[in-house]
Amino acid sequence: MSRYLVTITPPTPNGDLHLGHISGPFLAADVFKKAKILQGNEVLLISYSDDHQSYMARKAREQDRNVLELASENAALIEKSMQAMHIDCDFFMRSGNNGFFAASVQRFFDAAVQRGLICEAEVSVPYDDELGTIGYEAYARGQCSDCGYPTDLSQCENCACTPDPSLTKDIHSPVTKRPLPSRPMRRLALDIDKIMPVLVEHYAQRPPERLLADFIVEHADRKGQKWCFDRNGDAGIPVLYQGNTVVVSTWFAGIAGYHAALCEYAYRVGDMNLVQEFWAGDTRHLVHFLGYDCSYSHAIAYPGLLWADTGKVGRVSHFTNAFLKLDGLDFSTSRNYAVWVRDIVQEHDPDVIRLYLALFSPEESPENFDQTHFGEWARNSSGLFARIAAALLYQPDPEAAFSGNAAMVSAWRAATGDQGFSMKRCAVLQMELLRGIERALDLGLDVSAVVFVAAVLGYPLHPRLSIQLLQRFQLSLEDAIDMLQRHSGAAVVSGAELEVA
Ligand SMILES: [Zn+2]
């Protein structure tokens, strides 16, 4: 049994959740959580509302609103949308004006200071004389110094690097659209050269997966990287440094945010031992789900800060995603170009939406959500779900059911492993099972055994249907977890049989 602390990158509370969010870290983290619970582990899924984003400060300023009020309204919508999609987030922290968060940020900052990881860097920073704003992030855009893609100056939305302002072209204000001059500033930075040997050792033991593999290789070879993280004059979190207050960016604070969310959750449920067990214990496993654009903070800075805090990185995994498009275009909260969770769950079964998003998950490369295709697929799948739910079922012998589907159980275990986890692969396998049941029903065969296996293995993807089917067998989820542990051992076959397309 392991203890997994699973994290979803904190959403910016500038609006509700749309399908672009769900298809990225939100659904994948929940599928991972449910799969690990089925395998008999303890899992906590946490996230938080990213109230200290520069973009939030800009939006509040534009709307003449209080930033915390605006964040709080949207955080409530985000939580409701997660619930509507059956994403079981154990705790969604509100980071604004939060003592747990402030304490954790100071803790990780102090740890970095004590390890000598903080340095100063003289860099040019865009400045808007007219608005009086500094272009660290929400107030400046340009063409990325690495890939040329339009981005802010904090982290490239395309290649995930941290653009060098002195090499970034066409720096302009996204508010006034005018070009911005730059001025030299002394800034605080993480000295990545001092972290890199720790990271190289860490990733040698736990090879990064998906898009992260090339990213780590490329950044491991770069010398003199300094990750500027102060945000004096912009939104961020104040910390004490050498007797002065310094504002640090929300990106620097991310690992502290996850730690704080765990601390506040433990406090609220009255069991502070959870912090030790899920953060510092030997069996803990920290698993980050993130959009690829958040790679620098999560895969380079945070392992370094973990090491600064405790002297070891420990078990940490990252699962990145590329992005979903909507009928060929980028989702946009600000332009209201999105399919909102609150709307689509009125029309479709959340289980069907989950399965479709998992099948077309942008794990390795962008995917497109075609609304017409989804509509047709959803109608067919709802029909199939209803047909399976209404089938004549007898309680099968679990051992025989699992061993009769041994290749499928093995492939499922491979797709839900600590290494190589893939929600998409889980969904492909599950569709094979469901289509197999459909064919057997057409032939009038007894489908009890395969429906039982599909109900257990499909729980991470379609939890409501699975619970409903298990009830038909007079089984609870706990029974299913127990049966999977006890009876599927024989079903684990050799690696050669894992190759299921
Ligand atoms: Zn780039």
Side-chain angles (χ1 to χ4, degrees), residues 144-149 151 156-161 163:
C144 172
S145 53
D146 265 41
C147 73
Y149 192 86
T151 179
C156 177
E157 293 137 47
N158 182 52
C159 75
C161 83

